[in-house]
Amino acid sequence: LESKSALIGCQAGEVREAAPRGHFSEKGKRRVQRFGEYDLGGHIGPAGDVACSIEDFARFARFHLQGLKGRDGFLRAETVRSLHQADDGGGMRYAAGWVLQDREGAAVHWHNGSAGTFFAQVELEPASDLAVVVATNAGDGQAACEKVAEVVRQRFRAK
């Protein structure tokens, strides 16, 4: 994927003091995490202990979108499509970490999450050849990310 920034663990630390640090609510106030404070541990690490730049996050989204559109890349398109296969059914369906949902008349594949101090969201709309990635350094940033993603989708969606 030609990722230049992806790593396992918190990107901010005493070695990289300029890296963004997450924020979380504590006693009704927003607080920045301290160096060394972020540790998901081995039991939950695979669920959210990956950090990368927004550019690399976009590369990840583009990779999945290209596979869904039938274009081979790092993996064959067939393999990528298998990661996005869910049982038939209406409403929201789940496939290997991706939620598949019909939204505003289009099939959308999305995933989002937070480990408490950041929030990230990725959305793929294959019919419009559109991938959207949004992130914030606030663990409670879901509503903001969803609104930004909605505005971007509406602006860039194929008519």
Side-chain angles (χ1 to χ4, degrees), residues 103-104 121-123 130 132-134 142-155 157:
R103 194 184 293 160
E104 300 163 2
Q121 183 162 321
V122 56
E123 297 185 7
L130 180 65
V132 178
V133 295
V134 186
Q142 181 171 355
C145 284
E146 288 177 353
K147 186 61 178 174
V148 169
E150 176 186 347
V151 169
V152 171
R153 274 193 325 273
Q154 290 175 356
R155 168 71 174 88
R157 176 181 287 132

Side-chain angles (χ1 to χ4, degrees), residues 29-90:
K29 295 187 179 191
R30 184 158 286 152
R31 179 172 82 71
V32 67
Q33 72 185 55
R34 296 179 195 92
F35 291 131
E37 185 174 34
Y38 181 88
D39 181 15
L40 289 183
H43 67 290
I44 193 89
D49 211 6
V50 175
C52 67
S53 68
I54 199 73
E55 292 88 357
D56 282 343
F57 194 22
R59 284 183 186 92
F60 172 80
R62 182 177 58 216
F63 158 74
H64 278 271
L65 183 63
Q66 288 175 340
L68 289 171
K69 300 282 292 181
R71 295 181 221 132
D72 290 339
F74 178 73
L75 297 174
R76 292 186 330 224
E78 174 185 333
T79 303
V80 174
R81 286 178 174 166
S82 73
L83 296 172
H84 291 261
Q85 289 295 316
D87 292 333
D88 289 335

Side-chain angles (χ1 to χ4, degrees), residues 94-108:
Y94 190 77
W98 293 94
V99 176
L100 288 77
Q101 183 178 23
D102 291 331
R103 194 184 293 160
E104 300 163 2
V108 177

